[in-house]
Amino acid sequence: MSEQLPEGVKRRAFDGTDRLATRGEPVYGEPTDGAWRAWNPHRSKLGAMLEVGMDTGLEGGETVLYLGAASGTTVSHVADFAGPTYAVEFAARPVRDLLETADSRERLFPLLKDARKPATYAHVVESDVDVIVQDVATRGQARVALENRQFLADDGRLLLAVKARSEDVTREPAAVFEDVREELAAGYEVLEAKRLEEYHTDHLGIVARPR
Amino acid sequence: MNDRSSTSAGWFVDIDPADVEAATEAIREETAEVPRNWPAEAVEAGFADDEADYYAKLRESTVESTREAVREREAADDQQLKHSIRAMDDCNRTANELAERLAEWAGTVDPDAGTGVEYARALARGEADDDIAEPVIGSLAERVADLADEADDLREFVDRQTPAVAPNLSALSDPVLAARLIALAGGLEELAKKPSGTVQVLGAEDALFAHLRGHAPSPKHGIIYTHDAVRGTHPENRGSAARAVAGKLSIAARVDHYSGELKPELEAELAERIETIQARTTDEDAGTDGGAADE
């Protein structure tokens, strides 16, 4: 398989199967192999995006703003290969776990903030970040992406996982995705979009750049 | 330019690098309209020696600030309530499950073995038959009795705490139902922000989503079914009763969250409305048996 994995992410054999892996302290009981720990695409939308071969443009060492960090499953992998990583999450309970993953990661900055209100963290998160990763399970996912565009460098990338059920459980996912892409067009140019069905039901992975 | 009041300054402005407390507060409380190149500005302002030093300070401050914010948010009383009611349900469910297993087992040794948690309690006290000589059965019975006791303690805690957290809500329903609604909504504030139509079907999510997908009738009530006014109303009028109860409970939750004052008139209004609903003649007869509340 020809693929462009970021520096610091590798395919390694765990129990005979090749899996994505990064180097860092394990955080959710994932299998490890020396310093490497497996990245489970079933639990991570970004992991799934890499697994289905999307061109994320990630190279390693980027400055990242992660929206919807939850308990830090994916963020911990991102912080393993990226540079300074700002992790925004609004629910208190998962942030308790997120803080633990931050213990062993020196460039991971956890923030208990609402991704729908960027002004509440714009005094902390720097401008011109290289990548925004967004995985928020709320209504108005496109709006969140648009409102946070101000943090992104002109040549930066938005890596967005859209959850159809968060927008409207009753509608066809395909119709929801169409709406999200349309709304997103106000601030982004979509470079690639792919269903993550294999790993996450009713999710669409989007790679976009600001326009 | 570097003026706090302009809300366009970085979190580190006017802060002594050694003053962790001030830094954590700035991260929690301040805002900015737009992000800027904070690492560079911080170095320029002399807050940090270089970029690496800035990131080290940023990490220390964000971790500390976020830890504090999490602690504060989770210690909120309605959150304590949420955990206690869930723990109570877990204890009850587990005690019942184990009691069933115990009865099954004891029945093979003693044909006169009873059933349920009460039997487990009797067995644990040594009041049941002596036929059961097997010590592990007795020990299992003790475990069930302990779990049931724990559930009772938790219920007492809920009964005691809920009126303090949500006085109107618990006066209008009962402490356990009030705590359940808070737990289902995720907190008192969340409950206060929900429309009464949502409160009406809290706890009936499966039925609601089946309805929204278009292959089921809309649920008339969720957990508020346990409210006397709903249960005590004839099935034909239960939808109306559930609507009335949900309406008043949402108002009560809002009063509890936003003002906290006790409003006894809510109770009278609800009672009056329910009386009207229950007075409606139904096909059979106005079925108002009062719905004795025991779970």
Side-chain angles (χ1 to χ4, degrees):
Chain A
M1 192 199 274
S2 76
E3 57 181 1
Q4 320 89 328
L5 289 176
E7 189 89 18
V9 183
K10 270 211 172 89
R11 283 190 177 279
R12 311 263 304 180
F14 290 87
D15 281 334
T17 38
D18 265 356
R19 302 177 61 175
L20 290 174
T22 63
R23 261 173 306 188
E25 284 281 313
V27 302
Y28 53 99
E30 67 277 25
T32 54
D33 175 14
W36 294 84
R37 59 197 192 96
W39 188 350
N40 186 345
H42 291 278
R43 297 183 54 163
S44 162
K45 276 130 226 168
L46 184 61
M49 285 167 78
L50 290 170
E51 199 71 72
V52 300
M54 293 183 76
D55 182 9
T56 58
L58 288 168
E59 288 170 351
E62 290 90 349
T63 301
V64 178
L65 169 58
Y66 196 110
L67 304 169
S71 51
T73 309
T74 307
V75 179
S76 65
H77 287 292
V78 172
D80 282 349
F81 70 77
T85 305
Y86 298 88
V88 174
E89 169 58 46
F90 188 48
R93 175 64 194 88
V95 171
R96 218 157 78 194
D97 299 334
L98 176 62
L99 280 164
E100 245 165 73
T101 74
D103 272 349
S104 61
R105 294 180 170 81
E106 292 193 345
R107 295 248 167 133
L108 177 56
F109 315 118
L111 294 165
L112 183 68
K113 305 277 185 187
D114 187 346
R116 289 168 298 186
K117 296 173 187 154
T120 59
Y121 49 85
H123 66 302
V124 181
V125 178
E126 62 194 84
S127 56
D128 291 328
V129 303
D130 303 306
V131 180
I132 292 181
V133 183
Q134 181 185 322
D135 179 13
V136 295
T138 64
R139 222 170 243 226
Q141 294 168 87
R143 204 170 59 241
V144 171
L146 291 172
E147 277 170 8
N148 283 281
R149 185 179 171 275
Q150 53 175 320
F151 294 100
L152 195 57
D154 292 337
D155 59 350
R157 285 283 181 282
L158 167 74
L159 307 177
L160 169 66
V162 186
K163 181 177 181 178
R165 288 184 192 163
S166 295
E167 297 291 335
D168 189 341
V169 276
T170 65
R171 286 182 62 205
E172 269 303 304
V176 174
F177 295 147
E178 204 40 57
D179 284 1
V180 169
R181 289 182 65 155
E182 220 166 85
E183 201 182 337
L184 214 52
Y188 292 95
E189 179 191 346
V190 174
L191 300 173
E192 193 182 3
K194 223 172 193 173
R195 293 284 285 260
L196 306 176
E197 222 55 31
E198 198 182 328
Y199 303 102
H200 302 275
T201 317
D202 298 340
H203 279 78
L204 182 72
I206 290 181
V207 179
R209 68 166 172 230
R211 65 154 104 231
Chain B
M1 193 171 108
N2 281 350
D3 183 353
R4 262 243 167 271
S5 59
S6 74
T7 72
S8 62
W11 60 280
F12 47 82
V13 168
D14 292 342
I15 282 183
D16 178 350
D19 189 349
V20 179
E21 207 171 302
T24 59
E25 193 184 316
I27 287 177
R28 283 185 63 180
E29 306 298 337
E30 300 296 338
T31 59
E33 274 153 33
V34 288
R36 288 212 300 261
N37 190 347
W38 303 131
E41 287 194 17
V43 173
E44 205 174 304
F47 177 80
D49 303 336
D50 51 28
E51 200 179 67
D53 181 39
Y54 170 77
Y55 282 130
K57 288 186 162 112
L58 175 65
R59 176 163 176 282
E60 186 188 9
S61 303
T62 50
V63 166
E64 194 44 44
S65 154
T66 302
R67 183 164 288 142
E68 221 171 80
V70 167
R71 202 181 300 135
E72 210 167 277
R73 190 102 76 79
E74 292 209 308
D77 290 341
D78 58 337
Q79 297 304 309
Q80 297 299 305
L81 213 51
K82 193 171 88 180
H83 288 297
S84 59
I85 190 88
R86 285 180 182 164
M88 180 187 109
D89 285 343
D90 288 346
C91 283
N92 271 327
R93 197 184 51 239
T94 312
N96 281 326
E97 204 172 301
L98 284 176
E100 226 170 285
R101 167 75 48 231
L102 177 73
E104 194 96 341
W105 191 355
T108 63
V109 184
D110 172 12
D112 299 326
T115 56
V117 171
E118 276 323 302
Y119 172 68
R121 280 205 159 117
L123 207 59
R125 283 194 300 268
E127 289 167 12
D129 287 296
D130 300 329
D131 294 5
I132 298 172
E134 186 54 64
V136 284
I137 297 183
S139 156
L140 180 61
E142 276 167 36
R143 235 37 77 210
V144 175
D146 283 350
L147 265 178
D149 287 346
E150 190 66 50
D152 290 346
D153 289 350
L154 284 163
R155 192 192 172 107
E156 250 172 60
F157 178 86
V158 170
D159 282 343
R160 201 172 56 239
Q161 289 293 312
T162 316
V165 176
N168 289 294
L169 196 61
S170 23
L172 225 55
S173 48
D174 66 270
V176 171
L177 175 54
R180 262 188 230 280
L181 285 169
I182 290 171
L184 282 167
L188 183 57
E189 179 175 358
E190 287 78 2
L191 183 64
K193 286 181 175 165
K194 290 208 184 309
S196 106
T198 303
V199 174
Q200 187 182 342
V201 294
L202 272 181
E205 282 75 13
D206 285 352
L208 177 66
F209 288 123
H211 166 63
L212 290 177
R213 288 203 190 86
H215 48 75
S218 67
K220 287 195 285 293
H221 37 60
I223 191 67
I224 63 164
Y225 174 72
T226 61
H227 195 284
D228 290 350
V230 180
R231 241 189 341 184
T233 300
H234 190 276
E236 220 166 277
N237 293 326
R238 245 174 224 165
S240 311
R243 211 160 50 237
V245 169
K248 287 294 176 220
L249 289 185
S250 330
I251 294 172
R254 285 167 206 170
V255 175
D256 286 338
H257 177 65
Y258 293 106
S259 97
E261 274 168 47
L262 198 59
K263 289 218 184 303
E265 62 266 28
L266 282 174
E267 221 173 324
E269 285 167 25
L270 178 62
E272 194 187 324
R273 177 82 191 114
I274 291 299
E275 210 172 301
T276 317
I277 292 171
Q278 293 188 343
R280 286 183 201 161
T281 43
T282 58
D283 287 347
E284 295 151 47
D285 196 359
T288 54
D289 59 23
D294 55 37
E295 283 278 271

